[in-house]
Amino acid sequence: MKQKQIIALVSATALAATALAGCGKTSEENPQTTAVKEAEGTAKEDLPFSKYAETVTVHLGGSMNPNAKIPDGMSYEDNSYTRLLKEDFNIEVVYDWVASSSDFDEKMNLCIGSGAIPDLMNVNAAQYRALLKYDMIQPLDQYFEDYASDALKGYVESGGEELKKCISNDKGEMMAIPAPNITAGGINEMWIRQDWLDNLGLEVPRTWDEMAAVAEAFVTQDPDGNGEADTIGILGPGNSDHMNAIGGNQFGLDPLFSSFQSYPQYWLQDEDGTVKYGSIQPETRTALEKIQKLYTDKLIDPEMLVRSNCQEAVLSGKVGIFFGPWWCGYTVGDATLAGEADWRAYFTPLSEDGNYYTHMAEPTTKYVVASKSCKNPEAAFKIINNEIANEQQWIADGITSTEISTADLYPLFNVYDNADEIETSYDALTKYLAGEITMDDVDFSRHKLLKGDMEAVTELKKEPYDDFSLDKWNLDSDLAKTKLPRLVSILVGEAPSVNDKYIPVYNAYNGQTETMQAKWANLKKMEEETFAKIVMGKADISEFDTFVENWKNQGGDQILKEINDELGK
């Protein structure tokens, strides 16, 4: 393998020989053929939590939070969690190196570039693709079947086919243990002031033209009734936000693009499998021209990309529409708690064919992998099983505290949850309110927050239970401040995803090619500047054609070739 090629996939940092000291074992080493065995007589169903008969030593790379407060008598390498793993599983954790959390990715990139990697690793998407491409990690199928706990299997299976694609090689073998992302987190929707609609006698807009008409009314017809022309129709991104993004993008304009089946920044796969770049497609040109008209007609915030605090604008009561994911119930939380604004969420604008198209977040951004030289890959499953099974109990027992956070010190730590957790929560809460289920019907072992949600909703929700208007919440309850924003996020923000149809579009490539490493920053800057100028009327739409030509000539075509070569297309 060519070391230069590997580094190009994972890091823009030049490889320094001195920086490689202590990275770990080279992936070219032959793995030992005889691993440490389970205790004699261990039943198959007990393997996920069984204790090794002899000590198993696993080598890791550590990510150290420099602000973590570690109790006296403990260290990053020796603490309550590593001691529990030794006591309960006979697993000895050895850190080949420990880097600051801000330097962890760079350190891991250097180790991958040198071929000297730890036994077990927690890596990002680009690092995973590099390890996979250069055959540095081993399949985990057999270990998943025997050693993954039922809870871990459930989390992985909840991600469906899209998650399975992310963690499989071209032979269909499982190559990583993922921490699934919440599916709903990548779906952006329209949040709109229902009280403003009511004040003006307007219906909820669903199409582009209906949305534009409502936005115009919000700007020109004094929806807040203060007698001043001081309201914003559609709030756009601020100076630290993004017009488009991969996945969830609060205050971005993603649904406006998606209604034309335009997906900027996404690598899209044609029917023949060929990958193309969403930002340079004709659909994006159309979307930019239509969004430009909204802006020049003053229906989009004139301070778009200039405003420093978009949430402040929302909470000031001057905004009628913005876009974001289900969790924007937290964003509008203060206004909800004060009884000042009745925010609702919808899949708007629909495309001309009546469908709601939406780009999705990556099914996972965290991959736990085992080097080819690791002789006990199943230890990764035991470590993860233990975290999933006991994290809540550690909190109750006082092991986890502000001084010894699980996230800071637990080996291979990730947040594990069901990919469909928010949809599941919506379903359980609505059925509970309707009297269709009781709390005894729910298995809370797989749903960390659902029990608290169900307990809170009975106190905070007024009848009728299927009406989520602002006046149907008990805003005077002591629970409201801590629980209401989450319940609004689930029961209002998640309603469209559960009750309405949508067509998901996934990113076809999450790695980094050699040319991307050298030229992507400039290409991305050129794209962002061009799109901003067009939308804000500072450039004619013909500037898009110039951008496409420049993008292709300045490295884009070569990047597309490298991506398609890597994917075998």
Side-chain angles (χ1 to χ4, degrees), residues 114-354:
S114 72
I117 55 178
D119 291 331
L120 303 175
M121 294 160 280
N122 204 341
V123 297
N124 62 32
Q127 292 163 346
Y128 165 69
R129 291 203 64 83
L131 290 163
L132 188 63
K133 179 177 180 179
Y134 291 101
D135 195 26
M136 299 169 73
I137 52 179
Q138 59 178 291
L140 301 175
D141 305 71
Q142 60 176 320
Y143 304 107
F144 178 77
E145 179 61 32
D146 291 343
Y147 287 91
S149 66
D150 289 342
L152 178 55
K153 286 179 179 176
Y155 290 147
V156 174
E157 290 162 2
S158 73
E161 284 301 309
E162 291 298 328
L163 180 60
K164 186 177 180 180
K165 286 181 196 175
C166 288
I167 60 172
S168 300
N169 62 13
D170 55 9
K171 299 177 184 177
E173 297 172 310
M174 179 181 182
M175 301 302 294
I177 309 168
N181 284 334
I182 298 293
T183 301
I187 303 173
N188 300 289
E189 53 199 9
M190 177 190 73
W191 286 78
I192 189 168
R193 287 282 297 267
Q194 181 64 46
D195 51 318
W196 281 15
L197 291 172
D198 294 342
N199 290 346
L200 300 179
L202 300 174
E203 297 295 323
V204 174
R206 302 309 306 271
T207 68
W208 181 280
D209 289 343
E210 291 170 354
M211 178 196 69
V214 166
E216 183 177 16
F218 282 174
V219 172
T220 63
Q221 296 182 24
D222 191 25
D224 60 356
N226 70 349
E228 298 181 19
D230 59 352
T231 49
I232 297 167
I234 299 171
L235 183 68
N239 59 18
S240 60
D241 302 315
H242 303 280
M243 194 179 301
N244 316 276
I246 304 295
N249 185 26
Q250 182 174 241
F251 307 127
L253 303 180
D254 306 67
L256 300 185
F257 285 89
S258 296
S259 68
F260 296 96
Q261 297 186 53
S262 163
Y263 310 100
Q265 300 189 42
Y266 271 62
W267 303 100
L268 307 172
Q269 208 157 28
D270 278 337
E271 291 183 4
D272 65 358
T274 303
V275 170
K276 59 186 182 181
Y277 187 49
S279 298
I280 64 172
Q281 302 309 309
E283 292 84 357
T284 299
R285 190 186 197 278
T286 301
L288 285 167
E289 191 169 20
K290 293 285 284 187
I291 296 169
Q292 181 190 66
K293 187 174 189 321
L294 291 179
Y295 183 86
T296 55
D297 288 348
K298 302 188 185 327
L299 306 187
I300 294 180
D301 179 19
E303 294 187 38
M304 185 182 78
L305 299 176
V306 176
R307 186 181 297 278
S308 61
N309 191 324
C310 287
Q311 184 177 18
E312 186 177 272
V314 170
L315 295 179
S316 72
K318 299 304 179 184
V319 173
I321 293 171
F322 72 93
F323 300 100
W326 70 277
W327 46 258
C328 288
Y330 287 99
T331 303
V332 302
D334 286 350
T336 302
L337 289 165
E340 296 173 347
D342 191 355
W343 286 97
R344 306 295 179 85
Y346 297 93
F347 280 165
T348 297
L350 301 174
S351 184
E352 283 188 359
D353 62 9

